Amino acid sequence: MLEKRSRMQVLAADAPSGSGELLIMNDLPVYKRGRNKIQEAIEEAEQKKRKNKIKNRISAAKSRARSQEHTRFLEEKVEQLRNENALLKKLLSLVRDLMFLLGSSSS
C-alpha cells in the first residue's frame, strides 16, 4: 500500500544502501515503496515542462508580433511626420518669398 510523503522525500528503499532511510529528491511526490508512482511523477513533471515550453513559445511569438506591429506603426508615423515637415518647409519658404516681394514692392 502506498503512503504519500512530503513532496520532497522519497523512501530510500530505492536508495543504493537499501537501508530504508529517506532520500531527498527535487519536486517529486514521494510514496513508500512505489517505483511506478515515482516514474509517473517524473513523467508528469516532464509533461508539465513540455507544456510550459509550448506556452512560452506561443507567448514569445505573440510578443514578437506585437513588437513588429508597433515598429510598423512608428515607421508609418515617422514617414507621415517627414512628409508634414517637408510640406511645412515649402510653406515657410513661400511665405518668406511673399514677404520679401511685399517688402520690396512697397519701398
Side-chain angles (χ1 to χ4, degrees):
M1 174 153 209
L2 297 175
E3 179 183 313
K4 191 169 183 181
R5 300 280 183 177
S6 77
R7 289 183 59 82
M8 298 295 284
Q9 296 175 342
V10 174
L11 192 67
D14 301 327
S17 67
S19 65
E21 296 174 348
L22 291 176
L23 273 177
I24 304 298
M25 297 191 72
N26 292 337
D27 292 332
L28 293 177
V30 182
Y31 299 89
K32 212 176 201 181
R33 299 190 192 278
R35 273 204 179 280
N36 289 338
K37 293 292 183 178
I38 293 171
Q39 186 62 32
E40 287 175 14
I42 291 170
E43 289 169 1
E44 184 180 317
E46 289 172 349
Q47 179 66 23
K48 185 177 179 182
K49 192 173 185 178
R50 283 191 296 269
K51 183 179 176 183
N52 284 341
K53 279 185 177 183
I54 291 168
K55 287 170 68 175
N56 188 46
R57 284 184 185 140
I58 292 169
S59 179
K62 286 180 180 179
S63 177
R64 284 190 299 272
R66 282 192 307 270
S67 178
Q68 288 173 350
E69 180 62 32
H70 185 63
T71 300
R72 279 193 295 272
F73 168 78
L74 292 176
E75 287 170 348
E76 290 172 5
K77 188 70 172 175
V78 165
E79 185 63 28
Q80 174 192 354
L81 291 172
R82 283 183 178 154
N83 291 338
E84 183 179 347
N85 192 34
L87 181 66
L88 290 172
K89 284 181 178 181
K90 286 180 184 178
L91 182 60
L92 179 61
S93 177
L94 290 172
V95 168
R96 284 182 178 161
D97 290 345
L98 182 60
M99 289 184 65
F100 177 74
L101 291 174
L102 290 174
S104 58
S105 66
S106 64
S107 301

